[in-house]
């Protein structure tokens, strides 16, 4: 009798994968049903928007299942889920007839998606610093979307204020702050990286001040 010395093939946890898909599809189904019911309740139901809403929900479900599995698929699942959420949001705005008031959400969601990538931080200090800069700039972009939403729905009245200059100034502060943080690390090309960030930081800060003062 010859002993089997070959390695056993690793088993895939199919029940666990199926649970991820079932959960994601259930959440997508509940969200679709809730959006449809809300649109019908408000009397602004546009049935044809379902051709945008349902595919967006399915893409979200696929991204959620990949994200829940973790590992190398998590980032891909995050990207797919964010794309699906954006499509689903467009379908929701169309179905409920709130595109005119709710379009700033389409500014906020992509910015939040980019800011959320900071969960996957690189180990290299230079790459991490540049990534952090982009993520924080995206977070500032989310603030632009929130401000547009408040103005569009007449919650806030900026009057003649050039409010967008404040966000340009904030972008300069964010870039400059990350340049200072990068200067603390001992790494190759540190001086070049700091110089590369300080230039846009100064330009953005000056432009922001100029916009705020209405020059």
């Amino acid at each position: 009798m010859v002993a089997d010395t070959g390695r056993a093939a690793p088993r895939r946890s199919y029940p666990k994968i199926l649970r991820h898909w079932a959960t994601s599809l259930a959440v997508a189904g509940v969200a679709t049903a809730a959006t449809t019911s809300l649109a019908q309740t408000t009397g602004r139901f546009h049935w044809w928007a379902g051709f945008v809403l349902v595919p967006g929900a399915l893409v979200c479900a696929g991204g959620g299942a990949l994200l829940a599995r973790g590992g190398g698929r998590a980032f891909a699942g995050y990207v797919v889920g964010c794309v699906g959420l954006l499509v689903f949001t467009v379908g929701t705005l169309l179905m409920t007839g709130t595109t005119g008031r709710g379009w700033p959400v389409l500014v906020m969601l992509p910015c939040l998606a980019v800011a959320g990538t900071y969960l996957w931080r690189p180990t290299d200090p230079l790459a991490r610093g540049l990534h952090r800069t982009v993520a924080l700039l995206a977070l500032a972009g989310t603030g632009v979307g929130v401000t547009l939403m408040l103005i569009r729905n007449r919650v806030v009245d900026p009057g003649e204020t050039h409010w967008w200059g404040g966000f340009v100034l904030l972008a300069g502060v964010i870039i400059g702050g990350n340049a200072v943080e990068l200067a603390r690390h001992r790494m190759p090309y540190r001086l070049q990286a700091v110089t590369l960030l300080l230039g846009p930081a100064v330009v953005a800060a000056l432009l922001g001040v100029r916009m705020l003062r209405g020059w």
Side-chain angles (χ1 to χ4, degrees), residues 113-193:
V114 174
T117 61
Y118 191 66
L119 296 173
W120 289 271
R121 291 180 293 178
T123 56
D124 182 71
L126 177 58
R128 188 168 61 249
L130 295 176
H131 186 200
R132 180 175 56 249
T133 303
V134 173
L136 290 176
L137 287 175
L139 199 58
T142 305
V144 174
V146 172
T147 305
L148 288 171
M149 177 69 79
L150 295 176
I151 294 173
R152 191 69 186 85
N153 290 274
R154 299 180 180 179
V155 178
V156 174
D157 183 12
E160 299 297 325
T161 305
H162 303 278
W163 57 268
W164 55 88
F167 287 100
V168 178
L169 177 60
L170 176 61
V173 172
I174 289 172
I175 298 172
N178 280 281
V180 173
E181 201 280 333
L182 274 179
R184 299 190 306 105
H185 297 280
R186 292 184 177 181
M187 58 185 180
Y189 308 111
R190 177 179 59 179
L191 181 60
Q192 292 88 335

Side-chain angles (χ1 to χ4, degrees), residues 12-174:
R12 293 186 178 181
S13 180
Y14 287 109
K16 188 175 181 180
I17 297 173
L18 290 176
R19 279 201 305 272
H20 293 329
W21 276 101
T23 302
S24 296
L25 289 172
V27 172
V30 170
T32 303
T35 302
T36 305
S37 300
L38 177 63
Q40 291 174 340
T41 302
T42 57
R44 296 180 177 179
F45 178 60
H46 301 106
W47 62 269
W48 46 266
F51 292 103
V52 180
L53 189 75
V54 174
L58 292 176
V59 173
C60 273
L66 289 174
L67 184 61
R69 291 180 64 179
R73 299 180 180 88
F75 185 75
Y78 178 81
V79 174
V80 172
C82 288
V83 172
L85 180 60
L86 188 60
V87 175
F88 183 84
T89 303
V90 172
T92 300
L93 294 175
L94 293 173
M95 181 171 282
T96 56
T98 54
T99 307
R101 292 183 302 164
W103 64 263
V105 176
L106 302 180
V107 177
M108 291 185 276
L109 286 180
C111 290
L112 284 173
V114 174
T117 61
Y118 191 66
L119 296 173
W120 289 271
R121 291 180 293 178
T123 56
D124 182 71
L126 177 58
R128 188 168 61 249
L130 295 176
H131 186 200
R132 180 175 56 249
T133 303
V134 173
L136 290 176
L137 287 175
L139 199 58
T142 305
V144 174
V146 172
T147 305
L148 288 171
M149 177 69 79
L150 295 176
I151 294 173
R152 191 69 186 85
N153 290 274
R154 299 180 180 179
V155 178
V156 174
D157 183 12
E160 299 297 325
T161 305
H162 303 278
W163 57 268
W164 55 88
F167 287 100
V168 178
L169 177 60
L170 176 61
V173 172
I174 289 172

